Amino acid sequence: MSSVLLAAVRCDHGDVDALLNEVGQTLCGQGKRVQGALQTRGLDNGECHCADMDLQIIGSDRSYRISQSLGPQSRGCRLNSGALAECAAYLEQNLSSDVDLLILNRFGRGESEGKGFRDLIGAAIASDVPVLTALRPAYVEAWAAFGAEMACELPTERSAVLDWFQDVQDSRACA
């Protein structure tokens, strides 16, 4: 394992949202300070073929609806970039340097285009706060370009993510 501060779990298969939630709960249960946003999906809203998507702020009742319905004839829902920007701004405003881990639901289209959580990730890394996110195959090249030597990819396995986190913690303790 590497002690890089930026890691993405590949979401080729499996429920990556459940994995990120489980990792966050495990670390909080160990007394670690975890901040971030986890994605939840509601039921199909009947207006289009996809479910509502929300970002739930870890440790808070606050959430942001990041999907917007385009109506019954649409082929898909679109990301509500305004809501994502609000969520990112809220998280960045409340980011503390004593946080042990920042979990973000995805490095996706917005981040690959220089938006979304990209500035928040940069602020976290500049504050020496490790960041864990998820990555779909379509954004692997953008992730590699963004993260360079500061980033790694992890398998969709709880033990691999917790091992990465422990390695980061050990490296920070030695610094």
Side-chain angles (χ1 to χ4, degrees):
M1 267 310 145
S2 171
S3 63
V4 296
L5 292 178
L6 185 53
V9 176
R10 288 287 296 265
C11 44
D12 298 330
H13 63 281
D15 187 349
V16 73
D17 297 314
L19 173 67
L20 294 177
N21 186 39
E22 182 181 347
V23 166
Q25 287 182 357
T26 298
L27 295 174
C28 286
Q30 295 172 358
K32 302 299 181 187
R33 295 163 306 233
V34 179
Q35 288 184 346
L38 296 170
Q39 184 170 305
T40 60
R41 289 183 182 266
L43 299 173
D44 183 330
N45 63 21
E47 293 183 23
C48 60
H49 73 275
C50 62
D52 289 330
M53 293 181 298
D54 296 317
L55 290 180
Q56 180 66 45
I57 302 301
I58 295 171
S60 166
D61 291 335
R62 188 179 206 111
S63 67
Y64 295 85
R65 170 80 25 103
I66 60 166
S67 60
Q68 56 185 343
S69 174
L70 299 178
Q73 301 302 316
S74 70
R75 294 181 166 245
C77 292
R78 294 219 186 256
L79 177 67
N80 182 338
S81 56
L84 181 59
E86 282 181 47
C87 180
Y90 174 82
L91 288 168
E92 189 168 353
Q93 181 180 12
N94 291 289
L95 183 65
S96 170
S97 61
D98 67 346
V99 170
D100 294 307
L101 181 64
L102 177 66
I103 300 177
L104 301 172
N105 73 307
R106 300 282 186 277
F107 181 94
R109 183 176 183 172
E111 291 75 21
S112 68
E113 295 174 347
K115 302 173 195 162
F117 289 131
R118 195 171 179 136
D119 289 345
L120 173 59
I121 293 169
I125 298 301
S127 296
D128 199 36
V129 173
V131 178
L132 175 65
T133 190
L135 178 65
R136 295 198 189 285
Y139 303 107
V140 168
E141 287 182 32
W143 171 258
F146 174 73
E149 295 91 36
M150 297 185 314
C152 67
E153 291 181 31
L154 301 171
T156 313
E157 300 169 5
R158 180 179 180 272
S159 62
V161 175
L162 292 174
D163 287 348
W164 164 78
F165 177 77
Q166 188 59 54
D167 189 48
V168 168
Q169 292 296 292
D170 293 347
S171 295
R172 291 171 82 192
C174 292

